[in-house]
Amino acid sequence: MTATPMTPGVVPGRLPPDALAANFCDVAPPLDDHEAHVAADRCYFCYDAPCITACPTGIDIPLFIRQIANGTPDAAGMTILHSNIFGGMCARVCPTENLCEGACVRMEAEGKPVEIGALQRYATDGIVLAEGHPFKRGPATGKRIAVVGAGPAGLSCAHRLAAKGHDVVVYDARPKPGGLNEYGIASYKAVDGFAAAEVDWLLGIGGIELRLGQRLGEQITLAQLHADHDAVFLGMGLAGVNALGVDAANQRDAVDFIAALRQSDDLAALPVGRDVVVIGGGMTAVDAAVQARLLGAQNVTIAYRRGQDRMSASVHEQDHAVTSGVRIVTNAAPLAAGPDGVTLGYTADLPDGGMLNTGERVTIPADMILTAIGQRLEGVPDGIALAAGKIAVTGPGRTSVAGVWAGGDCAAGGDDLTVTAVAEGRDAAEDIHAHLMGGAVAPVDAPDMRG
């Protein structure tokens, strides 16, 4: 019997292939030439533009938009990529409403910002998806750097170091590079294998060797890397998943659910529940909930223990979830779970930041429970100082161990965004280069890349 959205239990094939293809198409299709020029014409090209300050990678946004308006999108793409080598993916996944577009003068004046994210994608796709690589390596330095983690932070660091003439070896525990971009982003945000294509393009600069299936603390150690290389950068992300504290046989980590979906060649083969409850209030919770709905789940609910204004998922992402058919229940903390559902206890946010259990309860049917309550750092080598459960860093990623830098989600102080990880990897690379070559740190907006 063919499964449908009404079929009870966790089963594959709830929707036919054509419906799945339509559901998982590009959520924000690229601009065409006319649309890009219309969007670019809305920019005021502000002096001391607030959108630049709001961008963690400091892209000169008015400049690249002016270049689009002048009919030179490739020049615009290079302006972006000099600051953010993952400009293509960031154009797709950045919470622009909280960053550049949220700071746009048009937003304050009219409530509708310049479409900076869409324009960034328009400019970068023409370069990233083309043949060849636009950056060239500098003269060989004879230095060799180890990078742990082939995600946005690690590969950003590796590319900048390779551009300066260093040899880089990137170690990653997974079978494919890309980190969060490859395994943790909703499929409808990066279609047609873009994440893998962007990594392949980035590696085109040369001088970067990938060694996959290499986990720090197992196949490799920090002591070994330190002995065999002139410097080490740690960008391994957050591999651990926080425990819910409520056990149920039908419970699954949302991170694993998203990764399985991203790596699947046949969406119809992926099992999903009829009634799905996602516990959490961040981007992972939203991505898991929306994709469960797109796979054919009839009822999908996000349950978050605090008020909706405390959810770390952006308002834009929350709205996207609701318009996709996901129900968001706030001030509801999980108390118990079983094969028939999740029992939630209603809460109230207190003025001092605390949370009150009101004593009221509700049980929501759930044959599949996805937990998205945060990730944690695992496998930190002995001797590396921590801060708030992450690697403590000073300046551009310097750890407590000489010759070891860190950046991205595994490092303290960031906001766990792809764009922030890219910036931290890039800035650490500049500091590593200066340390190895005995000179001053080069300005970030004037990288040693020629192409």
Side-chain angles (χ1 to χ4, degrees):
M1 180 179 175
T2 303
T4 73
M6 297 291 291
T7 304
V10 181
V11 298
R14 290 187 178 276
L15 296 176
D18 57 342
L20 289 171
N23 284 353
F24 284 90
C25 66
D26 204 333
V27 69
L31 302 176
D32 61 29
D33 292 342
H34 174 71
E35 291 169 331
H37 281 91
V38 170
D41 283 342
R42 293 190 65 243
C43 183
Y44 286 138
F45 310 116
C46 304
Y47 174 77
D48 195 22
C51 57
I52 299 177
T53 304
C55 174
T57 54
I59 296 170
D60 191 335
I61 294 168
L63 173 59
F64 93 70
I65 294 179
R66 185 182 294 276
Q67 289 167 323
I68 291 174
N70 291 339
T72 55
D74 284 353
M78 291 303 294
T79 295
I80 296 163
L81 295 168
H82 270 284
S83 294
N84 180 348
I85 200 62
F86 279 100
M89 183 58 81
C90 287
R92 290 162 166 80
V93 304
C94 266
T96 53
E97 65 277 5
N98 295 340
L99 300 172
C100 54
E101 292 182 13
C104 178
V105 174
R106 284 276 193 182
M107 181 65 184
E108 183 175 349
E110 304 170 8
K112 182 181 179 181
V114 174
E115 297 176 78
I116 298 171
L119 288 169
Q120 179 167 313
R121 176 176 176 178
Y122 173 79
T124 54
D125 275 10
I127 297 174
V128 175
L129 298 177
E131 294 291 331
H133 190 80
F135 296 114
K136 293 182 174 64
R137 297 191 68 197
T141 65
K143 303 295 184 180
R144 182 178 170 89
I145 298 99
V147 171
V148 180
L155 290 178
S156 172
C157 181
H159 185 274
R160 184 61 63 112
L161 289 169
K164 293 179 177 297
H166 305 299
D167 292 323
V168 185
V169 183
V170 179
Y171 301 85
D172 195 273
R174 291 186 182 267
K176 294 170 66 175
L180 178 68
N181 290 357
E182 176 62 37
Y183 290 95
I185 299 296
S187 293
Y188 54 80
K189 294 179 181 178
V191 301
D192 300 326
F194 179 80
E198 188 176 41
V199 170
D200 288 344
W201 170 84
L202 180 150
L203 296 174
I205 192 172
I208 302 173
E209 177 188 352
L210 278 181
R211 296 188 185 180
L212 303 175
Q214 303 290 303
R215 185 180 299 277
L216 188 64
E218 295 181 10
Q219 290 79 16
I220 53 175
T221 66
L222 182 58
Q224 172 192 347
L225 295 178
H226 212 300
D228 295 343
H229 301 80
D230 296 291
V232 179
F233 175 80
L234 302 177
M236 58 274 197
L238 303 175
V241 178
N242 291 332
L244 180 62
V246 174
D247 295 324
N250 56 347
Q251 178 180 318
R252 183 179 183 183
D253 292 331
V255 171
D256 292 340
F257 174 74
I258 294 171
L261 198 153
R262 280 298 303 271
Q263 299 305 307
S264 175
D265 294 325
D266 181 9
L267 295 177
L270 290 174
V272 67
R274 178 182 66 181
D275 300 300
V276 179
V277 174
V278 182
I279 308 297
M283 298 291 288
T284 299
V286 169
D287 282 355
V290 170
Q291 291 186 111
R293 185 86 172 103
L294 296 180
L295 284 173
Q298 183 185 31
N299 302 301
V300 180
T301 303
I302 291 176
Y304 179 57
R305 64 194 181 101
R306 292 189 177 274
Q308 191 161 355
D309 61 328
R310 301 284 292 274
M311 292 179 67
S312 58
S314 68
V315 173
H316 172 79
E317 291 292 333
Q318 294 177 42
D319 290 344
H320 178 65
V322 172
T323 57
S324 298
V326 175
R327 179 173 63 151
I328 298 178
V329 177
T330 55
N331 287 114
L335 299 176
D340 297 326
V342 178
T343 299
L344 303 171
Y346 283 112
T347 67
D349 293 332
L350 300 176
D352 63 358
M355 187 175 66
L356 173 69
N357 187 342
T358 67
E360 298 175 290
R361 297 187 177 191
V362 64
T363 298
I364 300 177
D367 45 32
M368 184 180 218
I369 303 166
L370 299 175
T371 57
I373 55 173
Q375 295 174 265
R376 66 180 185 275
L377 182 60
E378 290 184 340
V380 183
D382 293 338
I384 297 283
L386 301 180
K390 295 187 177 184
I391 298 173
V393 295
T394 57
R398 299 174 189 173
T399 73
S400 59
V401 176
V404 179
W405 285 255
D409 293 354
C410 71
D415 48 16
D416 295 353
L417 294 175
T418 295
V419 66
T420 303
V422 174
E424 291 177 354
R426 175 201 65 189
D427 295 349
E430 292 287 353
D431 197 55
I432 292 169
H433 173 72
H435 172 77
L436 295 179
M437 307 309 290
V441 177
V444 167
D445 59 356
D448 183 18
M449 301 183 194
R450 295 169 297 280

